[in-house]
Amino acid sequence: MTEWKPPQLPARIFINPRLSPAEESLAAAAPGVVDAEGFARAAAAIEAWPGYQPTPLRQLDGLAGALGVARIAYKDEGGRFGLGAFKAVGGAYAVLRHLQDKLGGNVTVADLIAGKYRARTTDITVCTATDGNHGKSVAWGARLFGCRSVIYIHQGVSVGRERAIAAYGAEMRRIPDNYDASVRACARDAARNGWQVISDTTWDGYREIPRHVMHGYGVMMGEVLAQLLPREDITHVFVQAGVGGLPAAVAGYLWLEQDALRPKIVVVEPEKADCHFQSAKEGKPTAVTGKLDTLMAGLACGEVSPLAWSLLDKASFAFMTVPDEAAVFAMKTLAQGVGGDPRIVGGEAGVGGLAGLIVAATDGDARRALLLDANSKILIIGSEGATDPVLYAQLVGRRPEEVLAAHEALTI
C-alpha cells in the first residue's frame, strides 16, 4: 500500500440515547463496576512487576491530516510485558488478586514472585476461556505467581495463538464451537474440579474477578493521561469491544478522572460479532449467535459482560460496526505510516478502534453523526501487536519484524 487511499466501506452507527448527562457521577450512573481505589491498587501492584514500563503513546499526525481531524494518539500495547497485548495487565492481575485472597494475610507481589508460597500455590488451579490474549495473560500470571492454569479456546482460535499460550505452561483445551460455548465449558469444569475461573466477563454471582480485570486495564489509561501533551484534550475515544471489559475500563477511568469533561466514547465491533451494537439498539443485553466468524477473532464474542454493559450503556456516546476489510486496511495503514507517521505493528483485533475511525471519518454521514471535525482529538487504544505473526504477515504482506525495522530506520 504505497498510496494511502481509504476504501469506502460500510459501517452501522447507533447514537446512544441513554448516555448519562455530564453532571451525573459514575457512582450514580453505574455503581459497583469500577472505582478509583480499585484502579489505584491495580496500578501499584502492576508497576511492581518485573519488566514493567509504560507502553508508548504514538502521535499519528500524518493520518490525522489525511482524515481531517486535529490529532490522533495511538496507545501501542504491542510491547506490554512481552505478551504483545494489553490483556497482560488484566488477567494476570486477577490471578494475583485471587492468590492473595486465597492465601490470606499480607501476601505481597514480591513474595509470590520469589516463590515463598509455592508449596501452597502449586495446588491452586486457575482457568479461563479466551480468544487468545486474555488466556495468554492468565497463563503468564499463573506461571509468574506460581499456580497451575487450564485455558479453553474455541474453534476460531489459530494454532499460533494456541501455541503462544501453551508456551507459558498452560494446559490447553479446545472446544468445537464458538467463544461463548468455551466460556460455558470452562465454568462447568471449574465447578466440577474446584478451580477458579479468571474471566473478563460476568454472570450471576460472578463479578469480583472481572472487576479486578477491568481495574488492571486502568493502568493503560493512567499512562495515557501522563503521556498526553500539556493541555491536550481528547474529544473522542474509538475503542474495540469483545465482551466489553476494555471499553468499560477506559470509559470508567476517564469518567472518574475527567468527570463532565470526559470524551465521547465510540465502541467499535466487527459486523459479524456485534453484541454491544444489538444491545444498544434493544436497550438491554442482547446475544448474537452463530459462528461469529470474524477475522478479528479476539473480538468474536456473542454476549456482552453484564457488568461492563451496565457502565457502557450509560458511558458510550455511540456504537458502531465495521467489516473485516476495515481492520486489514487499518493494519496496513499503521505498517505503512501515513505522511511520515511512525510505523506500528497492530494486530487484527487490536486495530478495531482505528478501523472504526477511518471508516467514520471518510464517510460524510458517519462523520456528522459522531461529531468529527477539524478540531477533533482522537485517542485510539491499539490493544495488541502481532499476536499471530504468521497471520499478520498474510494480511499485511510484511512480517512484523520488517515493519519494526522500518520504524527503527526512520527514528535513527
Side-chain angles (χ1 to χ4, degrees):
M1 189 172 71
T2 54
E3 178 187 0
W4 192 80
K5 185 178 180 181
Q8 295 299 304
L9 295 172
R12 293 175 297 166
I13 294 175
F14 181 79
I15 304 300
N16 184 15
R18 295 175 298 279
L19 176 66
S20 289
E23 63 272 13
E24 187 171 18
S25 70
L26 175 61
V33 184
V34 292
D35 55 55
E37 181 181 357
F39 282 130
R41 178 171 177 175
I46 292 167
E47 289 169 10
W49 294 358
Y52 168 78
Q53 58 181 359
T55 55
L57 184 68
R58 306 195 187 278
Q59 301 297 325
L60 305 183
D61 296 336
L63 182 58
L67 292 178
V69 298
R71 189 180 300 278
I72 300 173
Y74 183 93
K75 184 62 168 169
D76 183 2
E77 287 292 300
R80 182 70 74 178
F81 286 112
L83 271 70
F86 80 106
K87 294 279 190 177
V89 295
Y93 175 65
V95 172
L96 168 66
R97 287 297 305 272
H98 171 62
L99 292 177
Q100 289 176 321
D101 292 343
K102 189 82 171 176
L103 296 172
N106 297 315
V107 177
T108 67
V109 172
D111 286 341
L112 284 169
I113 292 175
K116 182 176 179 179
Y117 299 95
R118 195 59 54 96
R120 296 171 63 187
T121 59
T122 52
D123 292 330
I124 298 172
T125 298
V126 295
C127 60
T128 196
T130 186
D131 287 309
N133 292 331
H134 177 70
K136 189 191 294 184
S137 175
V138 170
W140 177 70
R143 189 178 75 169
L144 180 64
F145 302 121
C147 65
R148 175 176 174 255
S149 64
V150 180
I151 308 297
Y152 290 72
I153 56 176
H154 57 87
Q155 62 185 6
V157 176
S158 70
V159 173
R161 287 197 172 89
E162 179 179 10
R163 290 172 178 168
I165 299 169
Y168 292 101
E171 177 185 331
M172 304 299 298
R173 299 190 179 184
R174 185 179 289 270
I175 303 301
D177 205 330
N178 63 22
Y179 170 78
D180 300 299
S182 68
V183 170
R184 290 188 286 270
C186 177
R188 180 193 64 234
D189 290 354
R192 182 183 302 156
N193 295 305
W195 302 340
Q196 178 59 58
V197 177
I198 306 292
S199 179
D200 53 0
T201 193
T202 56
W203 52 83
D204 288 344
Y206 183 83
R207 291 168 53 100
E208 199 59 24
I209 283 178
R211 289 187 74 236
H212 295 330
V213 172
M214 287 189 283
H215 282 136
Y217 294 162
V219 168
M220 289 186 302
M221 297 311 300
E223 294 173 1
V224 164
L225 295 185
Q227 291 166 325
L228 288 172
L229 300 174
R231 298 185 180 180
E232 182 181 13
D233 297 325
I234 293 293
T235 64
H236 296 73
V237 182
F238 282 72
V239 57
Q240 55 277 2
V243 296
L246 171 60
V250 169
Y253 195 100
L254 290 172
W255 198 332
L256 288 167
E257 289 292 325
Q258 300 188 332
D259 200 22
L261 298 176
R262 65 189 188 271
K264 297 174 178 64
I265 306 295
V266 181
V267 177
V268 184
E269 294 177 289
E271 61 183 7
K272 295 181 180 179
D274 60 344
C275 54
H276 288 84
F277 187 89
Q278 297 299 334
S279 296
K281 288 180 62 178
E282 296 297 323
K284 61 182 180 181
T286 301
V288 296
T289 58
K291 293 183 179 180
L292 310 177
D293 56 344
T294 171
L295 175 69
M296 295 172 267
L299 308 179
C301 304
E303 299 176 21
V304 301
S305 167
L307 186 66
W309 173 253
S310 68
L311 191 156
L312 290 172
D313 186 43
K314 300 298 181 67
S316 303
F317 174 72
F319 299 83
M320 71 178 295
T321 68
V322 294
D324 284 353
E325 296 92 328
V328 176
F329 184 79
M331 294 169 71
K332 292 179 177 179
T333 294
L334 289 174
Q336 174 185 337
V338 176
D341 282 346
R343 299 187 179 186
I344 301 170
V345 174
E348 62 279 4
V351 301
L354 181 61
L357 171 62
I358 292 172
V359 170
T362 54
D363 178 276
D365 291 339
R367 188 180 179 93
R368 286 186 288 274
L370 296 177
L371 306 181
L372 291 169
D373 59 29
N375 297 312
S376 297
K377 298 177 181 178
I378 318 296
L379 172 65
I380 302 292
I381 305 298
S383 58
E384 70 170 15
T387 53
D388 186 337
V390 173
L391 179 59
Y392 178 90
Q394 291 173 351
L395 296 175
V396 175
R398 304 175 70 185
R399 293 180 293 114
E401 310 90 81
E402 294 178 290
V403 175
L404 293 174
H407 171 72
E408 293 297 327
L410 287 174
T411 57
I412 292 177

